[in-house]
Amino acid sequence: MTGILPQTPDETQRNTTDYVDFPSLFLSGPASSGKTSASLLRLQNILENPQESTLILVPQRSLAEPFHQFLRELGIAEGDQVSIQTMSSLVRRMISLFWPIIASHQVFEHPYEEPRFLTLETSQYYMAKIVDPMIDQGRFNNITLPLNRLYSQIIDNLNKSALVGFPHTEIGQRLSSAFIGEAARQNVFSDVQNAVDQFRGYCLQNNLVDYSLQVELFCNILWSNQTFQKYITNQYDHLIYDNSEEDPPYVHNIIAQWLPSLKSTLIIHDDQAGYRSFLGADPISSLTLEKLCQQSLVTTRNYVSSEPIQELRDCLRDLKNCQPTQGLIDKTIGFPEKRLCFFPELLEEVTHEIEVIRALPGGDQKKIAILTPYISDSLRFSLSHSLETIGVQVSIQKPSSSLTQDPVIKTLIILSKFAHPTWEIRVSYLDAAVALTNAIEGLDLNRAHLLLGDFDQHNPYLTALPEGVPSERIPSDLIERYTGLRDWLLSSDPAEPLHSFLSRLFGEVLSQAGFRFEGNTQSGTSTAVLMESFRKFSISLDRSLQENQNLASQAFIKAIDSGLISALYLSEWEVQPNNSVLIAPVMSYLMRNEPVDYQFWLNIGSQGWYERLEQPLTHPIVLSRNWQTGKQWTADDELAYNQANLQRTISGLLLRCREKVFAFTSDYNEAGVEERGQLLTVFQNLFRKALRSKNGR
Amino acid sequence: MTDLISPDFTFSQSNLQTFDYCRRRFYLRYVKKLIWPAQLVSDQQYIQDREAGVRFHRLVHQHFLGFEASLLRKIADGDPDIRVATWFETFLASPMATLQGKLEPEALFTTKIAGHPLSAKVDLLQIDGENISIYDWKTSRHLPKLSTLQKQTQSKVYPLVISRALNLGQPGYETARLRMIYWEANFPGQTIEIPSYQNDWKKYQLEIAASIELILSLRREEFVATPDEKKCAWCEYRSYCQREKIAVDSKDIEMTDLLEGLTKIPAEAFDSWG
């Protein structure tokens, strides 16, 4: 028995464990009802036969953690008897291995050449090549959007067509027919369609395989191929598919076809979830798998929340007919002791409450999550700083951040520009001075300015590092280091691939004595991230650019500067250390599926708790399988969507809360704006009802 | 025993080879998981060789998955590195392309030694009646010596793991034999074969269990850097350990390897970071 397994499984869990009597099982129920734990018991039984292999399929890596932990406890290496995958990773690997099948279908213009896989960032790079000339011609003129968001929304449309399973040639028409608004705006959807068509054509001409093409090639060519079927059938005997509701319909279609050839299948569906609908998640499509399974079980118990929290959840699901008591509210909801006017006061109050919890007997063992729709850098910094001052360890879940926000990466980019004067990229005087202070040990900003010499106030830019300006105020060793760095940069070969240049800059200079990366482990990680980002960018380029590494490096740096390559995806899905407080965006927390004792909901007045991002060029619902083609998306639909979204979020959070929720807001938010969103109204209604009930009215 | 190595840590030929090479490198790479992206070698040739080798391995894998040779030839011909097509043609013309029996390409096997998983990912496992062979495809520029290969951890870990996965150590299999076959695409006529038997597997087991137990017993400060500083010239951690500053050329490494018969550098050491 391992620590992660339930000690006394209930009847549903015991049945789920039995893969012989329940070989094809659909298990549904709310979060925290012991479904994943039951699947671990089933896996334990399957593992008793070492000859058979199991695929664990999850929609997102963060949801695989219980399975990883289980295998770790058993001392089983992943990949031998058990493989843990997302469908996206499986698709990507299979396309690469079975490329000859795709080649024989002659879909691409150079079918026998290697495919060049695109990431989201490199897809945007190529989309920009198509969209920018269109903008110059006056297309997309009714839309005001930052360029990156424009590119990403067009790419999102293409992905949705593949994930949902409709031809990409119908995107414009589907969006247009659902749109209510000025007739002039309708033109933009034909521009979107035009960009999508051109992008797909460009990919096929150049062996570029973006995410949408990966899915289409897998579903339309690979899956039905006999050689592929023989391989995949031999690979896995058993399937455990957790959180099927968070996957798009194409995954459900594949599973539906796969079911008959598997020895056993367990599909786990979370009720009232589907948080990733903006990424194509379709709980309704997931439910269609139920009737294809031989058996179906439903769980209703909650193994996490206290009874009062469960009562609160029931009440909030049907507030109209609920009569909450003041006692219930006192037990389950915490509020600030005073009215908070400004956001910093809110942060102080959060810190104070956490200090109080920590001081309670056993309080230092309690798990706490601070949740808000979005986490800005300033919120992250302020909160972690104030918590650390009271001795609380903080763990931050940040799905992505910009490459250039990392000071190490920014320094490397600036130094790369100085090593490649032919690029003729200007660096601001201030950025150059900051980069030097980040690179050279002992150098401060004032002395960095002195080294760079005077600058022209009307043109405060540099294209090359000047010879160090001697000054009595600069110690000679600092001048030596600067000169050494400058000489090294000037002596580098512009034709050297950028990742190799960065690696040498790191190893030969910046990690040596006298420079700030010496012994600094974070600098190693950041440098590796930039190198990897370039490597991915570089392999998507055509051969002529790959052969001219100077141009490839220049294109990469320009793409970063323009924000095209911005995301830095970090593997920050680790289990929260026991004594730390987690700070996370609400949606990321829900997809982490890790219960806590106390939740702090910040900015409950924010509309971000339920509203989707403004996306004028795409629409997750209109492009879903559940939208009737031709139907218009009205304000009522938007309202209903928001309400359903809020319900789902509240319910999902309470299912993952053991003891208490702290609902905090300030009169003015971080940006100094008053907010009065629906979640605030929900709480106000709840209190009014409780007050009425207390006063006997 | 210290608690530096978690109970689920999987040992493999590459991390055990790294430990033999430099204890500190093992610690930094596998225990501390330190990402330190300094150059391993000063030239691009080694990386190009490795990438071409990976694509050749994939073609051979595809061959054993049952693809038509004519189709794979077209893919090989489309490869940007012309050596890949040559290697693949050499492979197709060799007896390796027509191996009989049960063939398992790119298969991962795991066993437990000293309480820890020990894994081996083989290029091809052939079970043809009583003949069991482990094939390893190579694209080396220089033919390695038999004595060098015999000393490599791979030549011990693979037969050990496979013999245990197939239960060949049990009574009744006293005459069982495993062949570890190194096939070099640049030297197709000079296949190197290392046979092993029950006694050898017992010996390998003792040797590998001793290595693992030694690793488990070391405290952090006991993972010391290799006394042979020449090795630091092709280690990414050289600046972290404050030893060498500049990477050497990959050709120099190979020559050193051949001339002095040094333990081969673990191939995974040349994986790019990221």
Side-chain angles (χ1 to χ4, degrees):
Chain A
M1 199 58 113
T2 74
I4 196 174
L5 293 178
Q7 298 296 310
T8 48
D10 61 33
E11 193 188 346
T12 309
Q13 288 178 322
R14 283 197 301 277
N15 288 334
T16 304
T17 302
D18 189 345
Y19 72 96
V20 179
D21 283 349
F22 293 83
S24 169
L25 176 62
F26 189 89
L27 177 62
S28 62
S32 304
S33 58
K35 300 186 301 300
T36 302
S37 300
S39 75
L40 296 176
L41 286 168
R42 185 180 176 103
L43 178 61
Q44 190 180 39
N45 276 352
I46 293 171
L47 286 170
E48 282 175 15
N49 186 349
Q51 304 304 318
E52 299 192 342
S53 62
T54 305
L55 172 65
I56 308 284
L57 193 65
V58 289
Q60 184 172 298
R61 271 191 312 152
S62 60
L63 295 167
E65 183 47 36
F67 298 97
H68 285 296
Q69 192 187 338
F70 179 65
L71 293 182
R72 278 199 297 271
E73 288 184 9
L74 289 180
I76 290 178
E78 200 225 310
D80 182 7
Q81 272 180 275
V82 182
S83 176
I84 303 175
Q85 309 249 6
T86 63
M87 189 55 98
S88 308
S89 65
L90 188 74
V91 163
R92 165 79 172 70
R93 240 168 16 93
M94 291 302 108
I95 288 179
S96 187
L97 184 58
F98 287 88
W99 183 250
I101 295 175
I102 293 162
S104 65
H105 278 72
Q106 308 277 334
V107 180
F108 291 86
E109 205 164 298
H110 310 284
Y112 301 111
E113 288 181 12
E114 283 268 298
R116 290 185 281 139
F117 291 99
L118 297 183
T119 62
L120 178 60
E121 284 73 39
T122 49
S123 293
Q124 286 193 46
Y125 174 78
Y126 284 102
M127 186 58 86
K129 283 180 179 291
I130 285 155
V131 168
D132 288 355
M134 290 176 72
I135 292 172
D136 291 345
Q137 291 163 15
R139 315 285 282 274
F140 296 102
N141 59 357
N142 292 316
I143 292 291
T144 310
L145 262 184
L147 281 175
N148 300 344
R149 288 189 54 206
L150 193 147
Y151 307 142
S152 69
Q153 286 180 37
I154 299 172
I155 291 166
D156 198 38
N157 286 325
L158 196 49
N159 292 341
K160 289 279 173 10
S161 75
L163 300 177
V164 174
F166 63 87
H168 71 268
T169 49
E170 290 179 9
I171 291 169
Q173 190 266 325
R174 283 184 182 231
L175 289 171
S176 168
S177 63
F179 179 75
I180 296 178
E182 299 165 43
R185 274 280 303 277
Q186 291 282 2
N187 291 338
V188 85
F189 298 119
S190 68
D191 294 341
V192 167
Q193 186 63 57
N194 195 325
V196 160
D197 294 343
Q198 284 191 57
F199 180 80
R200 175 56 62 86
Y202 188 84
C203 287
L204 296 178
Q205 276 166 22
N206 294 282
N207 277 36
L208 297 173
V209 188
D210 70 320
Y211 182 47
S212 70
L213 252 177
Q214 288 177 37
V215 171
E216 285 187 24
L217 295 171
F218 184 80
C219 295
N220 302 337
I221 296 181
L222 279 195
W223 186 256
S224 57
N225 180 276
Q226 279 188 343
T227 308
F228 178 78
Q229 274 297 321
K230 191 178 153 198
Y231 172 83
I232 203 84
T233 311
N234 283 336
Q235 284 286 302
Y236 307 111
D237 302 293
H238 306 275
L239 171 70
I240 294 176
Y241 179 20
D242 201 357
N243 290 102
S244 59
E245 79 289 345
E246 300 297 344
D247 258 333
Y250 93 92
V251 183
H252 307 138
N253 290 353
I254 293 292
I255 299 301
Q257 294 168 54
W258 200 345
L259 273 171
S261 60
L262 289 157
K263 280 188 184 164
S264 85
T265 306
L266 168 64
I267 298 171
I268 300 174
H269 174 99
D270 251 23
D271 290 340
Q272 301 147 31
Y275 303 113
R276 299 186 347 142
S277 63
F278 63 100
L279 290 173
D282 191 336
I284 296 170
S285 161
S286 164
L287 283 171
T288 60
L289 292 171
E290 183 173 11
K291 57 178 180 289
L292 300 174
C293 291
Q294 289 166 21
Q295 291 107 345
S296 170
L297 292 172
V298 178
T299 60
T300 49
R301 288 180 64 169
N302 184 309
Y303 284 95
V304 167
S305 309
S306 62
E307 277 186 22
I309 286 280
Q310 291 185 44
E311 202 184 321
L312 175 69
R313 178 174 166 262
D314 291 340
C315 186
L316 289 174
R317 286 173 73 185
D318 186 13
L319 196 52
K320 259 187 195 165
N321 299 312
C322 165
Q323 285 301 329
T325 63
Q326 190 60 42
L328 176 71
I329 290 179
D330 292 344
K331 277 185 209 159
T332 56
I333 307 174
F335 296 103
E337 285 174 5
K338 56 183 181 197
R339 184 172 173 172
L340 306 171
C341 189
F342 298 107
F343 196 68
E345 294 172 47
L346 184 150
L347 298 183
E348 273 175 33
E349 194 63 20
V350 170
T351 308
H352 168 69
E353 284 292 351
I354 290 175
E355 199 171 15
V356 170
I357 292 171
R358 285 284 195 238
L360 294 171
D364 56 343
Q365 295 302 314
K366 296 288 184 188
K367 284 196 160 192
I368 298 171
I370 301 173
L371 307 168
T372 172
Y374 315 108
I375 294 185
S376 67
D377 284 338
S378 61
L379 168 65
R380 190 164 53 113
F381 175 79
S382 311
L383 206 45
S384 49
H385 178 71
S386 62
L387 287 171
E388 276 159 12
T389 54
I390 59 161
V392 173
Q393 203 189 336
V394 174
S395 124
I396 298 165
Q397 182 170 342
K398 206 164 169 249
S400 69
S401 68
S402 163
L403 280 176
T404 49
Q405 280 177 350
D406 181 315
V408 169
I409 292 179
K410 198 168 178 188
T411 299
L412 290 167
I413 291 170
I414 288 170
L415 296 180
S416 303
K417 289 174 184 174
F418 287 131
H420 296 82
T422 56
W423 295 352
E424 293 184 343
I425 302 179
R426 298 188 313 168
V427 178
S428 81
Y429 190 85
L430 179 62
D431 279 348
V434 171
L436 290 176
T437 58
N438 285 338
I440 297 171
E441 182 64 47
L443 186 67
D444 56 38
L445 205 53
N446 284 338
R447 290 187 175 86
H449 278 291
L450 287 174
L451 273 171
L452 292 173
D454 295 332
F455 71 98
D456 175 358
Q457 288 200 345
H458 301 290
N459 183 23
Y461 294 100
L462 295 161
T463 48
L465 280 177
E467 281 185 41
V469 180
S471 161
E472 284 176 3
R473 291 169 59 193
I474 309 175
S476 59
D477 57 338
L478 288 185
I479 295 180
E480 259 175 50
R481 285 172 206 166
Y482 172 77
T483 310
L485 172 63
R486 181 176 176 272
D487 292 348
W488 190 94
L489 292 170
L490 290 177
S491 67
S492 66
D493 176 5
E496 181 179 11
L498 189 67
H499 61 274
S500 167
F501 164 82
L502 292 169
S503 180
R504 281 198 313 110
L505 175 60
F506 176 84
E508 294 175 17
V509 186
L510 300 179
S511 64
Q512 296 291 332
F515 293 89
R516 285 207 202 264
F517 294 5
E518 187 197 9
N520 177 344
T521 53
Q522 182 53 44
S523 72
T525 307
S526 296
T527 307
V529 165
L530 185 62
M531 285 164 60
E532 180 65 5
S533 181
F534 173 73
R535 204 184 59 78
K536 283 186 176 156
F537 176 81
S538 172
I539 55 176
S540 79
L541 298 174
D542 61 35
R543 276 191 193 176
S544 63
L545 259 182
Q546 283 192 33
E547 279 161 16
N548 188 338
Q549 282 292 321
N550 189 23
L551 278 181
S553 305
Q554 186 181 13
F556 175 72
I557 295 292
K558 279 189 170 171
I560 288 183
D561 279 351
S562 67
L564 268 184
I565 294 177
S566 62
L568 157 59
Y569 292 98
L570 301 173
S571 54
E572 290 195 1
W573 296 108
E574 292 89 14
V575 182
Q576 183 188 1
N578 272 337
N579 296 326
S580 74
V581 169
L582 174 73
I583 303 174
V586 175
M587 212 47 71
S588 306
Y589 172 73
L590 287 168
M591 289 309 295
R592 189 182 170 107
N593 207 11
E594 209 177 291
V596 291
D597 299 292
Y598 299 102
Q599 292 177 359
F600 284 78
W601 299 2
L602 305 193
N603 302 331
I604 56 168
S606 165
Q607 294 173 339
W609 284 89
Y610 47 87
E611 274 191 357
R612 48 190 191 94
L613 293 172
E614 200 206 339
Q615 291 182 310
L617 299 183
T618 185
H619 201 299
I621 311 300
V622 165
L623 295 183
S624 79
R625 200 172 272 188
N626 309 311
W627 189 253
Q628 189 190 329
T629 312
K631 188 172 176 285
Q632 290 187 317
W633 177 265
T634 64
D636 289 344
D637 292 315
E638 190 75 45
L639 187 65
Y641 173 86
N642 287 343
Q643 281 174 345
N645 207 10
L646 182 60
Q647 266 306 329
R648 199 164 45 211
T649 303
I650 294 174
S651 178
L653 289 175
L654 291 176
L655 283 166
R656 291 163 176 84
C657 180
R658 288 197 183 89
E659 295 183 30
K660 200 165 189 175
V661 167
F662 290 83
F664 280 22
T665 190
S666 51
D667 292 348
Y668 298 97
N669 70 7
E670 207 177 344
V673 176
E674 273 190 285
E675 290 182 305
R676 300 252 165 248
Q678 285 181 27
L679 181 58
L680 186 63
T681 312
V682 166
F683 276 106
Q684 285 168 340
N685 289 342
L686 187 75
F687 303 143
R688 265 197 288 270
K689 283 198 144 204
L691 202 61
R692 272 192 220 122
S693 151
K694 191 178 170 186
N695 295 336
R697 281 190 284 156
Chain B
M1 295 289 154
T2 67
D3 56 0
L4 283 176
I5 311 284
S6 67
D8 61 306
F9 185 89
T10 300
F11 286 94
S12 64
Q13 63 91 11
S14 58
N15 57 34
L16 288 168
Q17 184 86 54
T18 302
F19 181 74
D20 278 350
Y21 187 81
C22 173
R23 290 179 181 189
R24 185 164 168 79
R25 188 183 203 184
F26 174 92
Y27 171 77
L28 293 174
R29 183 176 267 260
Y30 299 107
V31 183
K32 195 169 176 183
K33 293 180 181 159
L34 174 64
I35 298 175
W36 201 252
Q39 276 201 318
L40 283 158
V41 287
S42 64
D43 56 328
Q44 293 298 307
Q45 189 57 53
Y46 204 96
I47 292 159
Q48 283 169 17
D49 289 357
R50 268 188 60 76
E51 285 174 356
V54 167
R55 295 197 294 274
F56 168 68
H57 271 73
R58 190 163 58 230
L59 280 166
V60 174
H61 186 184
Q62 287 163 341
H63 169 80
F64 287 111
L65 289 176
F67 287 108
E68 292 283 334
S70 56
L71 180 58
L72 295 181
R73 273 196 179 98
K74 286 182 190 165
I75 302 275
D77 289 341
D79 195 279
D81 192 325
I82 54 165
R83 292 176 299 172
V84 173
T86 311
W87 291 334
F88 190 60
E89 206 51 57
T90 307
F91 171 82
L92 288 176
S94 78
M96 302 296 141
T98 52
L99 294 171
Q100 300 298 309
K102 186 184 174 196
L103 303 174
E104 292 188 45
E106 298 293 331
L108 177 74
F109 297 90
T110 306
T111 187
K112 268 202 173 175
I113 300 285
H116 276 261
L118 173 70
S119 71
K121 189 171 186 192
V122 303
D123 287 347
L124 180 75
L125 177 69
Q126 179 198 28
I127 305 173
D128 187 17
E130 290 190 349
N131 292 319
I132 303 167
S133 308
I134 305 160
Y135 290 87
D136 200 57
W137 322 123
K138 299 271 186 203
T139 52
S140 314
R141 284 174 175 265
H142 306 279
L143 186 68
K145 287 180 192 166
L146 172 64
S147 59
T148 307
L149 288 175
Q150 277 172 326
K151 273 190 272 179
Q152 271 196 36
T153 314
Q154 181 182 8
S155 301
K156 297 166 190 170
V157 167
Y158 281 22
L160 172 62
V161 173
I162 299 298
S163 67
R164 288 171 67 107
L166 302 180
N167 288 319
L168 300 180
Q170 305 299 318
Y173 290 94
E174 285 79 6
T175 57
R177 183 184 69 152
L178 266 176
R179 296 186 309 156
M180 179 85 213
I181 296 170
Y182 292 97
W183 184 82
E184 288 280 358
N186 286 319
F187 310 93
Q190 299 180 62
T191 301
I192 296 176
E193 183 178 324
I194 303 173
S196 60
Y197 304 87
Q198 271 195 355
N199 279 346
D200 297 308
W201 308 327
K202 281 181 192 158
K203 206 170 63 187
Y204 298 159
Q205 183 177 335
L206 288 173
E207 198 179 314
I208 288 159
S211 283
I212 293 174
E213 277 158 9
L214 173 62
I215 292 169
L216 299 177
S217 73
L218 294 180
R219 294 190 303 271
R220 195 180 61 82
E221 62 276 16
E222 290 175 315
F223 285 95
V224 292
T226 173
D228 181 1
E229 292 202 19
K230 272 188 292 182
K231 287 181 179 174
C232 302
W234 50 87
C235 172
E236 72 275 26
Y237 296 119
R238 62 186 169 275
S239 62
Y240 189 78
C241 298
Q242 296 172 338
R243 285 200 161 172
E244 298 286 329
K245 193 170 180 180
I246 296 172
V248 298
D249 194 283
S250 61
K251 290 185 192 75
D252 296 339
I253 299 169
E254 285 196 294
M255 288 309 289
T256 313
D257 225 354
L258 285 169
L259 292 172
E260 298 179 17
L262 288 174
T263 312
K264 199 178 170 192
I265 308 158
E268 49 83 48
F270 288 90
D271 290 343
S272 62
W273 284 110

